[in-house]
Amino acid sequence: MKPSIVRMFQPPRFDDEDQTRIAQTQHLLLLVCLTIALIAATINAALGRSTSTIALLISAGVALIALLLLYARRLRLSIALLLSLFIGLTASLQMIGRGAHDTVTSLYAAVVVIGSLLLNRRAFIGMVAAIMLVIAGIVTAEMYGWTRSPYESEPGDWFDLALILGLTAFAARLLSESLQHSRALARAHAKTLAAQAAALRASEERYRILAANLPDSAVLIFDHDLRFVLSEGPELAATGYSKAALEGRTLYEALPHAFAAQVEGNIRAVLSGRRFSAEIPYEDRIYHYHYVPLIDDSGAVRYGMILARNVTEQRRAQMALQEREAQLRLITENMGDAITQLNAAFTVVYASPSVQRVFGYLPETIDGASISVVIHPDDAPGVTMALKRIRDDGASATRIEYRGRSDHCRWLESEIRALYGTNGQFTGAILTTRDVTERKQIEVERERLIAELEQKTPNSNVSPTPPRTT
């Protein structure tokens, strides 16, 4: 119940900030006027001053009505009633008191200042004109003896008061408009800051969404104090960290000292404007770090960003592949047979070390050359035909014998296996070649011996049948 009553007697709020400010100022002034009028009425009643008591009670009533109008959101009517109260009360006190020379006249300056805070320019000019007319009337009444003033007024008194109040009104209005301009600038600046803050929050949210959806990665942003201002990504949890454990903390506060010392140089380098990458192990994982400086509109490095990607599985796979390649190379290099890989144009792209023993050429001398350079000219067309046949027919393998091109003629035997890409297209061939000269010589010798044996064996003639005897 009590909070509801308190809210009921609070100044109203408007959509316009200036109206809200005016309502709050007016509310305070009305409460002060009402309190002073009631206290002064009580004191005057105790002193037996009935006229003053009645005037002050009337003033309190007017202030209360203006306060109720304010609560009813009748802002302009409440302002007009408040200022009319000031002007009328001051005029009444001067008329029944000591005239325009009374110290009550100084209250007009206060009315002018209050009006400059509560009224717009046109209403303020009207209020100042009304005050001038009131003072002119008081001075005129004094000059013709219409009031009980003990002073003798002259037209110069009116001029002096008008000049003083005019200067006061001019200065008060300048001050009020300056304050309004300052408030407008402050509001514009606040809106700009709010827009920048909203843009920053939106940018940060985009970073967070992007980082949170990067597989096996984490995004870390830090300032020039090496303090993390953003940390996001699924890889954080994989390393046992969270946003709360990193954001707002410095490098050495958040990470183990040894690792922090290892990466500090890289972080300071990216804050100086360098963009680079590095691969650094962390515990049992391997991370590839992309260091990116974040530059503002003026070209200055505002923050540094690290995009950390877990490449542990890729590196392990690469190491396993390298080990297998090394094993295969070791086997290939120690085989008795020569291994030659050709591309689709039948050009040598790899030759094992045993090529020197089998073909009589160093591997590097035939790398990039046609396979025909190591084949006897008489047999080169046959080998080329076999390669084309396996390419055109789609066969997987074939075997062919031929002589090598070297200082002494060698018989060679190659098993040709075709290579095909993922799309089924012919990409080349692998030739496994061995020296069969000795076997060829044995075959030739065997054929020679068979021929000699056939020549030495006499032809068998059938004997005639002898005559029968009786």
Side-chain angles (χ1 to χ4, degrees):
M1 185 65 181
K2 186 177 179 179
S4 299
I5 296 175
V6 172
R7 285 196 300 270
M8 184 183 300
F9 292 101
Q10 286 181 345
R13 300 190 65 86
F14 298 87
D15 294 335
D16 188 354
E17 293 184 7
D18 286 335
Q19 284 187 321
T20 300
R21 175 189 57 80
I22 291 172
Q24 291 173 346
T25 305
Q26 183 180 350
H27 183 260
L28 179 61
L29 289 172
L30 285 170
L31 288 178
V32 171
C33 291
L34 181 60
T35 303
I36 292 175
L38 291 174
I39 293 174
T42 303
I43 294 174
N44 279 274
L47 295 175
R49 300 174 181 173
S50 57
T51 304
S52 299
T53 302
I54 293 172
L56 289 168
L57 288 175
I58 293 173
S59 300
V62 175
L64 180 59
I65 294 172
L67 193 60
L68 294 176
L69 288 172
L70 176 63
Y71 293 147
R73 304 177 70 87
R74 303 296 298 271
L75 186 60
R76 293 183 179 180
L77 186 57
S78 178
I79 292 173
L81 192 59
L82 172 64
L83 296 178
S84 298
L85 171 64
F86 283 159
I87 297 172
L89 180 60
T90 306
S92 300
L93 290 175
Q94 287 180 325
M95 293 294 290
I96 64 176
R98 302 175 64 184
H101 299 276
D102 196 352
T103 54
V104 179
T105 306
S106 60
L107 290 176
Y108 286 120
V111 175
V112 167
V113 173
I114 293 171
S116 68
L117 296 174
L118 300 182
L119 300 174
N120 58 32
R121 181 176 296 180
R122 182 179 299 178
F124 177 72
I125 294 173
M127 183 201 70
V128 173
I131 291 175
M132 294 294 186
L133 290 175
V134 170
I135 294 177
I138 294 172
V139 172
T140 302
E142 289 181 7
M143 289 174 58
Y144 290 97
W146 297 342
T147 61
R148 294 181 298 170
S149 174
Y151 300 101
E152 294 181 359
S153 298
E154 297 180 356
D157 295 335
W158 153 247
F159 177 77
D160 293 340
L161 288 174
L163 179 61
I164 293 171
L165 287 176
L167 291 175
T168 303
F170 179 73
R173 192 62 194 178
L174 284 180
L175 178 60
S176 176
E177 292 186 352
S178 176
L179 290 174
Q180 291 176 5
H181 181 66
S182 298
R183 282 194 297 269
L185 290 178
R187 286 196 298 269
H189 186 60
K191 289 181 180 179
T192 301
L193 290 178
Q196 291 177 349
L200 182 61
R201 286 193 298 270
S203 177
E204 181 179 339
E205 185 64 21
R206 286 194 294 270
Y207 272 121
R208 289 191 184 277
I209 293 174
L210 174 64
N213 290 277
L214 288 175
D216 301 325
S217 301
V219 174
L220 306 170
I221 298 179
F222 45 87
D223 59 18
H224 286 268
D225 294 329
L226 307 187
R227 189 178 304 278
F228 293 100
V229 297
L230 184 145
S231 59
E232 191 62 76
E235 197 60 28
L236 287 179
T239 56
Y241 287 94
S242 64
K243 293 188 292 185
L246 293 177
E247 292 181 4
R249 305 179 68 186
T250 64
L251 177 68
Y252 284 93
E253 290 172 348
L255 300 177
H257 188 278
F259 184 76
Q262 183 181 6
V263 300
E264 179 184 0
N266 290 345
I267 294 178
R268 294 196 181 279
V270 73
L271 286 171
S272 68
R274 286 183 55 198
R275 181 190 295 262
F276 60 98
S277 299
E279 199 164 286
I280 303 174
Y282 182 77
E283 294 181 349
D284 60 340
R285 294 177 174 83
I286 302 173
Y287 287 94
H288 189 82
Y289 295 91
H290 293 280
Y291 293 89
V292 181
L294 300 182
I295 301 173
D296 59 17
D297 295 336
S298 65
V301 178
R302 185 75 178 273
Y303 299 105
M305 183 179 74
I306 299 176
L307 174 58
R309 187 167 61 90
N310 188 344
V311 295
T312 306
E313 294 302 324
Q314 293 93 317
R315 295 298 175 265
R316 288 175 179 172
Q318 289 177 358
M319 291 175 62
L321 180 61
Q322 290 173 357
E323 289 178 358
R324 287 195 296 270
E325 289 179 348
Q327 292 173 354
L328 290 174
R329 185 174 294 275
L330 182 64
I331 293 171
T332 301
E333 291 177 353
N334 288 276
M335 286 179 61
D337 295 347
I339 306 298
T340 311
Q341 181 180 350
L342 310 180
N343 59 18
F346 308 141
T347 299
V348 178
V349 294
Y350 171 75
S352 66
S354 53
V355 164
Q356 182 178 4
R357 181 180 59 79
V358 176
F359 286 102
Y361 293 93
L362 292 174
E364 55 270 20
T365 60
I366 64 172
D367 188 19
S370 173
I371 186 62
S372 61
V373 300
V374 296
I375 301 174
H376 193 280
D378 295 341
D379 297 333
V383 175
T384 302
M385 186 65 66
L387 288 169
K388 290 181 178 180
R389 184 169 59 252
I390 197 174
R391 179 194 63 189
D392 298 337
D393 296 345
S396 60
T398 188
R399 191 184 298 270
I400 186 171
E401 290 184 356
Y402 56 91
R403 289 168 294 176
R405 186 201 298 260
S406 59
D407 294 339
H408 55 285
C409 182
R410 296 182 183 180
W411 279 96
L412 307 174
E413 180 187 68
S414 290
E415 181 179 354
I416 305 174
R417 291 190 174 275
L419 298 176
Y420 297 94
T422 55
N423 56 358
Q425 185 177 4
F426 179 79
T427 59
I430 294 287
L431 275 68
T432 304
T433 306
R434 61 183 60 87
D435 190 338
V436 294
T437 303
E438 185 177 351
R439 189 190 72 190
K440 198 70 175 176
Q441 290 174 347
I442 292 174
E443 291 177 355
V444 171
E445 182 66 19
R446 182 173 63 81
E447 291 176 357
R448 186 184 65 79
L449 291 175
I450 291 173
E452 289 181 358
L453 182 61
E454 289 177 348
Q455 290 177 358
K456 291 180 180 180
T457 302
N459 293 329
S460 57
N461 296 321
V462 179
S463 300
T465 303
R468 293 175 63 181
T469 58
T470 59

